[in-house]
Amino acid sequence: MILHADGNSFYASCEQIYRPDLRGKPVAVLSNNDGIIIALNKEAKACGIKRGDPYFKVRDICQWRGITVFSSNYTLYADISRRITSIYLEYAPDIEEYSIDESFLFFDKCNWSIKDYYEIGHDLKRRIAKEVGIPICVGAAPTKTLAKIASKLCKQYPRLQGGCYMHRPEDMEKVLRKYPIEDVWGIGRRT
């Protein structure tokens, strides 16, 4: 089984660690030269701005809607990522850091029940929120692509409480039939 752990609105969440007054409020992060919006949380997305928007075009919307805008701080983001990875390493015998906010945790040689994976996923989510201050979603499945889909479903459906576990073939079939092909990691936009 493979777990995919993904930081929610990672750059914005990192900024909110040191500004807890901004939790639940719209936050956006700009590129190196403050020209482009490169990250935003769900509250900022709800205000109508998108990743990739030139800041000069949405500056007035940001001010009007009360969106707090930060210049990017890659040193901070890398430090937070290292802290999270150190927690992952306490759980998984092998991990792959896919990006600054995403990792695959491999449990190939573990003969555990789905309940064990469920507990690990929820424990990871709880510990990282408590010890680091970042919300994450965890998806578990037999392949990296399915695990990534599972964690993405957690973001779309908050009732999953941060964990989605696809282990039965009928669940995988059901999800894949409804999942937009263009959103399937490693396949979608390439074909």
Side-chain angles (χ1 to χ4, degrees), residues 121-141:
H122 281 275
D123 197 44
L124 280 170
K125 179 180 167 55
R126 182 194 56 75
R127 274 194 67 195
I128 290 170
K130 182 179 178 183
E131 296 175 25
V132 183
I134 298 291
I136 67 166
C137 285
V138 178

Side-chain angles (χ1 to χ4, degrees), residues 1 4 20 29 45 50 52 94-95 124 137 145 176 179 187:
M1 188 69 80
H4 177 258
V29 178
K45 290 175 187 173
K50 298 182 296 296
D94 185 24
I95 73 165
L124 280 170
C137 285
T145 298
L176 288 174
Y179 204 80
I187 299 170

Side-chain angles (χ1 to χ4, degrees), residues 62-97:
C62 291
Q63 291 173 350
W64 176 63
R65 299 298 298 262
I67 300 171
T68 302
V69 178
F70 289 92
S71 295
S72 53
N73 182 346
Y74 297 110
T75 303
L76 169 67
Y77 311 147
D79 180 59
I80 299 300
S81 179
R82 279 190 295 276
R83 291 186 212 175
I84 292 170
T85 299
S86 71
I87 294 172
Y88 293 158
L89 288 167
E90 292 179 32
Y91 289 82
D94 185 24
I95 73 165
E96 175 187 332
E97 294 177 74

Side-chain angles (χ1 to χ4, degrees), residues 7-15 39 77-78 80-81 84 100-101 134:
N8 299 349
S9 305
F10 186 70
Y11 292 171
S13 293
C14 289
E15 297 293 349
Y77 311 147
I80 299 300
S81 179
I84 292 170
I100 197 164
D101 68 330
I134 298 291

